[in-house]
Amino acid sequence: MKKGFTLLELIVVMIIIGILATLGIQQYARATERARGAEARQILGQIRSTAAGYYLQNGTCVGFNDTLAGIGGNPDQIPTGCRATHYFNYYINIGYLTTDVMRATATRCIGGRGKPPSASTAFQLTLTTNFANGNDTWGGNGGY
């Protein structure tokens, strides 16, 4: 009696390995993209801290702007547009609901702009802060 595997058994094993590899690659891509979101969480937290200082000093978010948040086009600023040093670009919205609320948004760079690799979709991460009651709400899409 011959020992060994039949061609059918080998094909089934190869198909199973292919399916597992495909699932593994997809999970790896999702995990690395979530890790890139750490940049956005850190910078949005920095913007929130700066806005909190402004709110404590002025009693309102009105007047807080990109310049005060450190957002701009210079290399040493938080980027308003995609650039090779960041995965995201940032902007703020003051008075989102009331004069006590600020919303900061990070948008993932796409289309070859921003720090490589670019994403295929411009996912967003948002931080909405109500300074009157101290509530922070994270939102967005893309699993960040």
Side-chain angles (χ1 to χ4, degrees):
M1 179 173 184
K2 294 183 179 182
K3 292 186 178 186
F5 297 105
T6 65
L7 182 59
L8 182 60
E9 291 170 327
L10 290 174
I11 290 172
V12 168
V13 168
M14 289 174 59
I15 290 171
I16 291 171
I17 290 172
I19 291 170
L20 291 174
T22 301
L23 294 174
I25 290 169
Q26 290 173 352
Q27 290 300 321
Y28 175 75
R30 286 188 193 116
T32 55
E33 190 59 32
R34 278 193 308 271
R36 290 183 185 109
E39 170 198 301
R41 288 188 299 275
Q42 187 270 328
I43 291 177
L44 291 176
Q46 176 184 336
I47 292 169
R48 186 223 181 270
S49 295
T50 306
Y54 183 90
Y55 182 82
L56 288 173
Q57 190 172 34
N58 298 291
T60 182
C61 288
V62 175
F64 186 71
N65 56 35
D66 285 352
T67 302
L68 294 174
I71 300 172
N74 294 330
D76 61 337
Q77 292 180 305
I78 298 168
T80 56
C82 292
R83 68 168 81 134
T85 56
H86 292 79
Y87 293 113
F88 295 83
N89 60 67
Y90 302 86
Y91 66 92
I92 58 173
N93 184 349
I94 300 302
Y96 173 66
L97 297 171
T98 70
T99 59
D100 299 326
V101 177
M102 177 209 63
R103 174 176 266 186
T105 303
T107 304
R108 183 71 164 92
C109 296
I110 60 171
R113 296 173 305 203
K115 188 173 184 178
S118 290
S120 58
T121 305
F123 292 121
Q124 291 186 328
L125 179 64
T126 59
L127 172 59
T128 304
T129 301
N130 185 329
F131 293 109
N133 62 22
N135 286 340
D136 289 333
T137 305
W138 290 91
N141 53 20
Y144 297 119

